[in-house]
Amino acid sequence: MSQPTNFSLRSQYGTLPLFHQQRGETGHLSGICVLVKPLSSEHDEKKKQYEFVSAYPVAVQYGMFEGSISRMEIFPNGLEGRIRPNLTETSFSFCFFDELFPISAGLYESEKRYRFYIAGLAYHMESNEEQNIVIDDPEGIRSFRATNMWMDDHDFYDARTDKQAALDMFDANHSEKDLEPVLFDMSNFYSLLPDKKYSDDAWFSGEVMEVYEKFTSFFDVDVWRIDVKVASDLEGGIVLPFYLTDRQFSGEWRPKKGEFVNGTAWLQGIVHDLEEPIVASRDLGES
């Protein structure tokens, strides 16, 4: 392995995201971010003390999209947050953890267009072969059909604000067929569904576009990169890179290009101003 690279970025509040990067044998970076904040207003950097906030691995190559910011979700510590983007020419809705939130949050504008770099750190991944999902309980059917009915009418759905209105709409307009069980054929299913508790966690399903075995390494553990198309409503679809180790795969199975897979992942990313030059030091964008 090569020698690690360390750099930091300071927010307007003095918070420091500290990035540690190391390039593995394949030439690709791996990284970790440590977020700290000063305990006092001491100006002498040698005397200043910091409080640890959080630490997490970060992606080094991302899927790239353009759009605007629909919503910011700020963590209780006030220093971290999630972004819900509105991607251009699609109603596809999801949320991701903003790696540079303490740096950029105060600069975001609701109507402004941005470039989003997004990737997933997968908790697990498995094949869709011979897998079907059936929703057969009455409340589950009602909730699913109501959400779809609301999306067809409004092009956007937020469970926190729209759930009851969607259920009321469904109760007033559903047919007998709408009460039948819902069957998902997983053999060619595209989806990216936010977790109910943590919206930057998501369940995904889609087609494997590329497989990179031993793409990089993280603390001497080999990391795969699997590019998965999770939506097909845009030209070329929405393709996200997912990073995971051998332990995150199902048994001895390993994904192949063209296969449909599903899993869960933590979505993270960076919001970049279209008017600013792309930062090259983080290997942003597609390989």
Side-chain angles (χ1 to χ4, degrees), residues 73 82 84 94-96 194-202:
E73 300 177 4
R82 306 180 181 97
R84 187 180 297 275
F94 62 95
C95 196
F96 66 88
D195 181 78
K196 292 182 179 179
K197 185 175 182 180
Y198 303 110
S199 57
D200 49 348
D201 281 348

Side-chain angles (χ1 to χ4, degrees), residues 157-182:
Y157 175 80
D158 188 326
R160 295 170 301 178
T161 58
D162 301 330
K163 182 177 180 179
Q164 189 56 53
L167 291 172
D168 292 342
M169 174 188 287
F170 176 79
D171 292 341
N173 297 281
H174 74 268
S175 65
E176 287 299 316
K177 186 175 179 60
D178 290 329
L179 300 178
E180 296 178 357
V182 180

Side-chain angles (χ1 to χ4, degrees), residues 22 57 117 139 143 163 228 246 287:
Q22 192 154 324
Y117 297 95
E139 280 305 309
S143 178
K163 182 177 180 179
V228 179
D246 282 312
S287 62

Side-chain angles (χ1 to χ4, degrees), residues 116-165:
F116 300 105
Y117 297 95
I118 304 168
L121 304 185
Y123 301 120
H124 87 280
M125 182 182 290
E126 61 186 1
S127 173
N128 281 12
E129 186 177 358
E130 298 182 357
Q131 288 196 28
N132 289 322
I133 296 177
V134 179
I135 303 176
D136 53 10
D137 66 285
E139 280 305 309
I141 295 171
R142 177 171 174 253
S143 178
F144 175 81
R145 301 288 191 192
T147 300
N148 278 2
M149 186 178 289
W150 185 268
M151 283 288 294
D152 289 342
D153 196 56
H154 296 82
D155 293 330
F156 182 78
Y157 175 80
D158 188 326
R160 295 170 301 178
T161 58
D162 301 330
K163 182 177 180 179
Q164 189 56 53

